[in-house]
Amino acid sequence: MTMWQRPSAVSLLAAHLRGELERGRWQGKMPGVIRLARELGVARKTVEAALCDMEKEGLLVAQGHGRGRVIATQKPYGRRSPLQAGLRIRILLYEESDADDEITAGTRHLLEERGHQVSVVPKTLVDLRFDVNRVAKLVNRTGGDAWVIRAGSRSVLEWFAAQKVPAFAMYGRQSSIPMASVATFKPPAAALALRKLVDFGHRRIVMLAREERRKPIPALFEQWYLEELGRLGIEVGSYNLPDWENSRLGFHRCMDALFRHTPPTALLLGESPLFFAAQQYLAGKGMYAPRDVSLISVDDNPAFYWLEPIASHIHVDTRRVVPRVVEWAKNVASGREDHRKTIIRAEFVEGGTIGPVPRR
């Protein structure tokens, strides 16, 4: 079996440009490297490499130095026949690392099996800084018949819900927004995790969540977490859900601040990448879970099952995610309105990264 490789920026851009050819955006000649780099906001070297890939595929024909590339054929492109059921589906990721996970790969594979033309757009929500104006420009530039958004902020999802183009929210802050979505229900599982921590004697419990989960106000799960701490007799404040800059440097600064004076005895990490980042940070300080601090990931990750002992985390059966997206795409292609929300219930896996409060 060959190893899965993360799609490069060049391959993602080439896929985007193929999609634009398919919808008939350009006729005759392809725009030049400088124009494409400016319009798409990517490096000229990346554009040149993507265009070279398209030459190798026979989609473009080089005309020599300084001359624009000719589009080899318009046959496969242009407007689709009404008899064609397949949609041009664009996937807007939360961050680049989502491109190679099993959900994105599975979504693309099954949608393409059903005859849809699927591409991941080169820019992510993190790249766009969750700015609605930037998202709008990207969507208008890219086109497409339908969009799938990974972990969108509330403002971004509200914008998509107000557009004519159908959109599907894969996770994110989609509660009460009238659009098709799939989300997880974590409070019961997280309640077990918090009660376990309290039974172990933990009082200094901190959750690290991304900025879009905390602002302008905490999302439903983060609100529930603070309320649950209160119900467990813990005085709640900004310490329990700290503010930090949404970057690698911001994460490390936050960890430095937390462990400088009143270090937490338990950390809940809102996403699995933060869990691994926290593990690395603590190891650099000579601290390990659960000897020095208990760690729980609020997110799931297949890599947890390779750890010994397994990481304590909130597990979600993702097998329902991809079929729901495929069902939505089928309804959209058939002209049926689909705003149904699918909720997947989570469970707590205790694992080996939590334990009694350490003696200081």
Side-chain angles (χ1 to χ4, degrees), residues 207-328:
M207 178 190 284
L208 294 180
R210 300 265 197 163
E211 184 176 6
E212 60 274 7
R213 300 289 307 175
R214 295 180 276 106
K215 295 180 178 180
I217 60 172
L220 290 178
F221 178 77
E222 283 70 19
Q223 290 180 29
W224 170 89
Y225 153 76
L226 294 173
E227 293 167 359
E228 185 67 13
L229 287 182
R231 286 189 287 269
L232 292 169
I234 297 175
E235 187 175 345
V236 176
S238 58
Y239 173 82
N240 305 102
L241 188 67
D243 189 21
W244 54 284
E245 181 188 334
N246 204 19
S247 67
R248 178 175 55 85
L249 181 59
F251 175 80
H252 281 262
R253 284 175 175 168
C254 179
M255 292 289 281
D256 285 340
L258 284 171
F259 283 88
R260 186 174 297 125
H261 299 300
T262 53
T265 61
L267 281 175
L268 276 68
L269 292 311
E271 300 170 30
S272 60
L274 298 182
F275 180 90
F276 294 118
Q279 274 193 321
Q280 183 192 48
Y281 175 90
L282 294 170
K285 303 291 183 181
M287 295 185 287
Y288 299 92
R291 185 192 70 188
D292 303 293
V293 58
S294 288
L295 295 180
I296 298 175
S297 175
V298 181
D299 191 17
D300 205 346
N301 191 304
F304 290 154
Y305 296 91
W306 289 89
L307 303 180
E308 180 56 46
I310 191 173
S312 304
H313 66 284
I314 306 297
H315 170 69
V316 176
D317 185 354
T318 58
R319 289 176 295 181
R320 293 174 58 194
V321 176
V322 176
R324 174 65 186 110
V325 179
V326 172
E327 176 193 36
W328 164 80

Side-chain angles (χ1 to χ4, degrees), residues 30-323:
M30 196 72 179
V33 171
I34 295 176
R35 176 183 159 189
L36 287 172
R38 184 174 61 250
E39 288 183 0
L40 299 173
V42 295
R44 294 181 186 179
K45 287 184 178 179
T46 304
V47 174
E48 179 64 33
L51 293 176
C52 286
D53 283 354
M54 294 172 72
E55 284 180 21
K56 294 174 184 176
E57 295 170 17
L59 300 177
L60 302 176
V61 178
Q63 299 295 298
H65 182 70
R67 301 177 65 188
R69 293 169 169 86
V70 172
I71 298 172
T73 176
Q74 293 296 126
K75 259 184 150 181
Y77 307 111
R79 294 189 177 275
R80 296 175 305 135
S81 161
L83 297 177
Q84 291 177 293
L87 300 170
R88 297 164 300 174
I89 299 176
R90 310 298 186 227
I91 301 177
L92 176 58
L93 300 177
Y94 175 86
E95 59 187 353
E96 188 179 350
S97 62
D98 292 333
D100 58 5
D101 70 12
E102 61 180 350
I103 293 179
T104 300
T107 299
R108 293 190 66 174
H109 176 70
L110 274 186
L111 287 174
E112 287 170 351
E113 267 195 353
R114 302 301 191 275
H116 303 294
Q117 297 150 10
V118 187
S119 62
V120 174
V121 296
K123 294 287 187 178
T124 68
L125 287 170
V126 171
D127 295 332
L128 299 169
R129 301 176 187 175
F130 296 89
D131 185 292
V132 171
N133 292 327
R134 294 183 181 189
V135 171
K137 288 179 181 178
L138 173 70
V139 172
N140 291 334
R141 218 165 43 218
T142 307
D145 301 313
W147 284 74
V148 176
I149 305 97
R150 285 283 300 263
S153 65
R154 186 159 193 86
S155 58
V156 167
L157 294 180
E158 285 176 338
W159 182 85
F160 271 103
Q163 308 309 305
K164 291 183 178 180
V165 61
F168 186 96
M170 188 183 288
Y171 309 129
R173 299 189 64 171
Q174 43 70 41
S175 176
S176 76
I177 297 178
M179 65 188 305
S181 65
V182 63
T184 56
F185 186 63
K186 297 179 178 179
L192 289 176
L194 289 176
R195 283 198 291 272
K196 189 73 176 180
L197 289 176
V198 171
D199 289 343
F200 274 136
H202 293 276
R203 307 291 294 178
R204 296 202 299 269
I205 301 173
V206 171
M207 178 190 284
L208 294 180
R210 300 265 197 163
E211 184 176 6
E212 60 274 7
R213 300 289 307 175
R214 295 180 276 106
K215 295 180 178 180
I217 60 172
L220 290 178
F221 178 77
E222 283 70 19
Q223 290 180 29
W224 170 89
Y225 153 76
L226 294 173
E227 293 167 359
E228 185 67 13
L229 287 182
R231 286 189 287 269
L232 292 169
I234 297 175
E235 187 175 345
V236 176
S238 58
Y239 173 82
N240 305 102
L241 188 67
D243 189 21
W244 54 284
E245 181 188 334
N246 204 19
S247 67
R248 178 175 55 85
L249 181 59
F251 175 80
H252 281 262
R253 284 175 175 168
C254 179
M255 292 289 281
D256 285 340
L258 284 171
F259 283 88
R260 186 174 297 125
H261 299 300
T262 53
T265 61
L267 281 175
L268 276 68
L269 292 311
E271 300 170 30
S272 60
L274 298 182
F275 180 90
F276 294 118
Q279 274 193 321
Q280 183 192 48
Y281 175 90
L282 294 170
K285 303 291 183 181
M287 295 185 287
Y288 299 92
R291 185 192 70 188
D292 303 293
V293 58
S294 288
L295 295 180
I296 298 175
S297 175
V298 181
D299 191 17
D300 205 346
N301 191 304
F304 290 154
Y305 296 91
W306 289 89
L307 303 180
E308 180 56 46
I310 191 173
S312 304
H313 66 284
I314 306 297
H315 170 69
V316 176
D317 185 354
T318 58
R319 289 176 295 181
R320 293 174 58 194
V321 176
V322 176

